[in-house]
Structures are given as structure tokens and as C-alpha cells.
Amino acid sequence: MKQILFSGMIGLVLSLLGTPALIKLLAKHGYGQYIRDDGPKAHHSKKGTPTMGGIAFILATLIAYFATKAITGESPTVSGLLVLFLTAGLGLVGFLDDYIKVVKRRSLGLRAKAKLLGQSFVGLAFAGLALQFSDDRGLTPASQHLSFVRDFGWSIGPVLFVIFAYFMIAAMSNGVNLTDGLDGLATGASVMVFGAYTFIGLWEYTQSCAYAITATANCYDVRDPLDLAVVASALMGSCFGFLWWNTSPAKIFMGDTGSLALGGALAGLAICSRTELLVAVLGGLFVIITLSVIIQVGSFRMTGKRVFKMAPLQHHFELKGWTEVLIVVRFWIIQGLCVAVGLGLFYAGWVTG
């Protein structure tokens, strides 16, 4: 429990105090957000706002995790390190994309093939490594079984698992990226999901088949549940601190640096905690917004007509006249309900397990 509290508080303080320094640094070098002409007109006032803010909460998370280990004398675990690798690795891909946009003045950033190659390398490396490093009980960070609130069904084998894990990582990172269109929207939504994973990791630890306080038939076979909670808490605290500066009117944007990293973190936590399908419920807002883009593109290609005024979904409501703050708060409410339903399903799985 001390590790969870330390990592969350250290991440919060570092991000809250470090983000203003990053804002000054980025502004000094003129690394401001590029606004596309085909977006909502109201967004043109945001042109020049410092971007690549994901650097702040990625560094805060990494420092918070390792500082917590140093303070408590505990050793890092393979599961925790793998999730951090996935987070930082995708953050690096996003940073290169942002850097090309704001420094090289190329509006689309990395070439599509280069960006896909970077995401593929990090995602596939994570998936492959997650099936290694078994502990004394034979548990690896990831399982070759599909999972909802725990593993179920037959093993899908290492090849299919790696493909499935890569799909999850790509889907979640792109989902957060699409959601990051209004001040504080993706950051606030991510805080809620990381809070849920802090609880899930702690619960799996107390009800672990190896460490359960009271032995139960429905215990969890997860390799490092407590350390996953430590990572999730560090992410939650770091995003909370960043939100202070990212909320409307935003002083800084997370950019692809932050959105790809957060999506990777969510996928990594889901895979290592054996809640792969549950993350679609916990991160329901990201799923809804991604579906809005799929529906829009599919409808236009098949019928030549658009379902929404603009996709992703948040821009549809902007064009309907909703204020940015109104959209963000209402979408946060939807995300809160998704987390509540997801945690309810997780608890129900334990009760009936």
C-alpha cells in the first residue's frame, strides 16, 4: 500500500511542478501546436500553444516508479518494467511525430509507414517479452489465454497472442490519440481509468492465489499485481498533475507524445492484469470516439454521406454549438460511468468466480 501512495504522490508533485518548466522551455523554442485548416474554427485560437506535453507526465511516471522503489527498498518487477517500456516506447514514437510537426513544420508529422513501423516495433517487442520471464509459479507477465476479469477459454498460442496484443496496443493508443482533441478531455478520462487499474491491481494482490490474506477459490493468477497498481498509481498522479495545466484554457497539449504513451499504458496494464477485454469497458469513452470515426469513414465511403458533422465525436458537438468545457465535462461523466460499470463487472466476476 505504501508503494501505491508514494508513486501516486511523487508522480503528482513532479508533474504539477515540472509541467510549467516544460511549458517555458517549449515556448522559448517556439514549439507550438499546428492547427489544421479543416478543423473547427474555434481551434485556431489555440495555434502556438506548446505541445509535446506528454514528456512531463512520462518522465514524472518513470521517476515516481523508480523513486518509490528506492524509498521502500522493493525491487522493480518484470511486469511493471514492461508496462513502463511500452509507455515510454510509444511516447518516443509520438515525440518523433510531434517533433517533425512543430520543428520541421511538416503538418502530418512522421510518414505513415515510419509511424506504423515504430508502433509495431515497440508493441511486438512488448508482446513477445511479456510471454517470457516466468516466476517460481510458472506465471509470465502475460498469458496466452484471452481474459475479461481473469483468463478464460483455451490457450490461443504465442503467435495469435502477439497479434492480438499488438491489435490491442494499436487500438488503445489510437483511441486515446483520437480523444485528445479538446482541452483536458483525454487527460481527465485517462486519470479515471488509471485509478480503476490501481484498484484492480491492489485487489488482485490481496486476492492472489499466492498472497491472498484468506485463501479463496476465485483467487487471481497474475504475476505482479501489486507492482501493476504502483505503475497505475504513478500514471494517475502524473496525469492529474498535468491536468492542472492541460484543462481549459490549456497552457500545454500532450501531443502524440502523450496520447500514444497513455494508450500503450492502458493496453499494457490490461494485458498484464488479465483484463484484456474489460479495458474496452473501463476505457469506454475512447472506444466510443474511435467508433465514431469508423462509422463516419465507413458511411462516407459506402453512401457518400456523413453521419456526424465532423469526426471524432467531440468535434460533432462543437459544430452543434456546445462549448468546449460543456463537452469535456459531459464526456468525463460518460467516462466515469464506464469506469463504474467496468469495476462493477470486475467485482461481480470475483463474487461469482
Side-chain angles (χ1 to χ4, degrees), residues 219-233:
C219 60
Y220 297 94
D221 268 326
V222 176
R223 192 190 190 285
D224 306 300
L226 181 60
D227 214 38
L228 294 175
V230 173
V231 172
S233 179

Side-chain angles (χ1 to χ4, degrees), residues 29 59 68 73 110 112 140-141 156 184 235 240 261 264 302 306 309 314:
H29 290 86
L59 289 178
T68 295
L110 277 175
T140 54
I156 62 175
L235 285 160
F240 230 139
M302 289 188 294
R306 293 179 172 85
K309 291 180 178 293
Q314 61 268 31

Side-chain angles (χ1 to χ4, degrees), residues 1 14 24 28 44 90 96 104 141 152 202 211 216 244 269 285 292 295 326 333 343 347:
M1 180 63 78
L14 288 176
K24 291 180 181 178
K28 179 181 178 181
H44 288 280
L90 288 180
L96 294 174
K104 302 299 182 181
F152 66 84
L202 181 60
Y211 313 115
T216 57
W244 181 271
L269 288 168
L285 179 64
S292 74
I295 291 170
L326 179 63
I333 292 171
L343 288 177
Y347 182 71

Side-chain angles (χ1 to χ4, degrees), residues 228-308:
L228 294 175
V230 173
V231 172
S233 179
L235 285 160
M236 177 179 64
S238 299
C239 287
F240 230 139
F242 181 75
L243 183 60
W244 181 271
W245 306 102
N246 182 232
T247 194
S248 183
K251 299 290 187 284
I252 188 170
F253 300 137
M254 69 169 69
D256 283 10
T257 305
S259 59
L260 295 186
L262 294 181
L266 291 174
L269 288 168
I271 291 168
C272 292
S273 65
R274 311 291 203 269
T275 56
E276 294 158 350
L277 301 181
L278 183 64
V279 74
V281 181
L282 292 169
L285 179 64
F286 305 128
V287 175
I288 292 169
I289 287 177
T290 302
L291 286 175
S292 74
V293 175
I294 295 172
I295 291 170
Q296 184 85 326
V297 173
S299 174
F300 186 76
R301 287 183 177 177
M302 289 188 294
T303 68
K305 297 180 179 179
R306 293 179 172 85
V307 176
F308 307 106

Side-chain angles (χ1 to χ4, degrees), residues 35-347:
I35 303 297
R36 295 175 60 177
D37 292 332
D38 56 353
K41 300 300 182 184
H43 286 206
H44 288 280
S45 62
K46 302 180 181 184
K47 185 176 180 180
T49 301
T51 188
M52 297 190 287
I55 295 171
F57 59 74
I58 292 172
L59 289 178
T61 298
L62 294 173
I63 295 171
Y65 176 81
F66 289 108
T68 295
K69 295 301 178 182
I71 293 170
T72 61
E74 299 290 339
S75 300
T77 67
V78 174
S79 299
L81 292 175
L82 280 174
V83 174
L84 291 175
F85 161 76
L86 183 59
T87 304
L90 288 180
L92 177 59
V93 175
F95 170 78
L96 294 174
D97 190 43
D98 287 333
Y99 183 82
I100 291 172
K101 288 177 184 175
V102 302
V103 178
K104 302 299 182 181
R105 304 297 179 184
R106 197 168 79 202
S107 62
L108 295 179
L110 277 175
R111 304 295 183 190
K113 289 184 179 179
K115 190 173 183 179
L116 179 61
L117 182 63
Q119 288 178 298
S120 299
F121 174 80
V122 176
L124 293 175
F126 167 84
L129 291 171
L131 292 178
Q132 311 302 317
F133 309 105
S134 58
D135 63 9
D136 54 5
R137 293 185 295 146
L139 292 175
T140 54
S143 166
Q144 294 179 29
H145 294 76
L146 296 179
S147 61
F148 186 63
V149 296
R150 53 168 51 88
D151 288 345
F152 66 84
W154 295 283
S155 170
I156 62 175
V159 175
L160 285 179
F161 165 78
V162 169
I163 295 172
F164 174 72
Y166 171 71
F167 171 79
M168 270 194 65
I169 293 166
M172 289 307 301
S173 58
N174 288 322
V176 178
N177 185 251
L178 290 171
T179 304
D180 181 36
L182 299 180
D183 295 353
L185 179 57
T187 310
S190 297
V191 166
M192 298 182 206
V193 189
F194 289 133
Y197 270 109
T198 302
F199 170 81
I200 287 172
L202 181 60
W203 186 265
E204 288 180 338
Y205 171 72
T206 60
Q207 303 300 324
S208 169
C209 296
Y211 313 115
I213 297 173
T214 303
T216 57
N218 54 352
C219 60
Y220 297 94
D221 268 326
V222 176
R223 192 190 190 285
D224 306 300
L226 181 60
D227 214 38
L228 294 175
V230 173
V231 172
S233 179
L235 285 160
M236 177 179 64
S238 299
C239 287
F240 230 139
F242 181 75
L243 183 60
W244 181 271
W245 306 102
N246 182 232
T247 194
S248 183
K251 299 290 187 284
I252 188 170
F253 300 137
M254 69 169 69
D256 283 10
T257 305
S259 59
L260 295 186
L262 294 181
L266 291 174
L269 288 168
I271 291 168
C272 292
S273 65
R274 311 291 203 269
T275 56
E276 294 158 350
L277 301 181
L278 183 64
V279 74
V281 181
L282 292 169
L285 179 64
F286 305 128
V287 175
I288 292 169
I289 287 177
T290 302
L291 286 175
S292 74
V293 175
I294 295 172
I295 291 170
Q296 184 85 326
V297 173
S299 174
F300 186 76
R301 287 183 177 177
M302 289 188 294
T303 68
K305 297 180 179 179
R306 293 179 172 85
V307 176
F308 307 106
K309 291 180 178 293
M310 181 179 287
L313 188 60
Q314 61 268 31
H315 299 319
H316 167 79
F317 289 105
E318 276 192 288
L319 296 182
K320 284 178 67 69
W322 290 23
T323 65
E324 183 172 14
V325 173
L326 179 63
I327 297 168
V328 170
V329 172
R330 287 182 173 175
F331 276 36
W332 278 353
I333 292 171
I334 293 171
Q335 177 55 49
L337 292 173
C338 291
V339 167
V341 171
L343 288 177
L345 291 171
F346 178 77
Y347 182 71

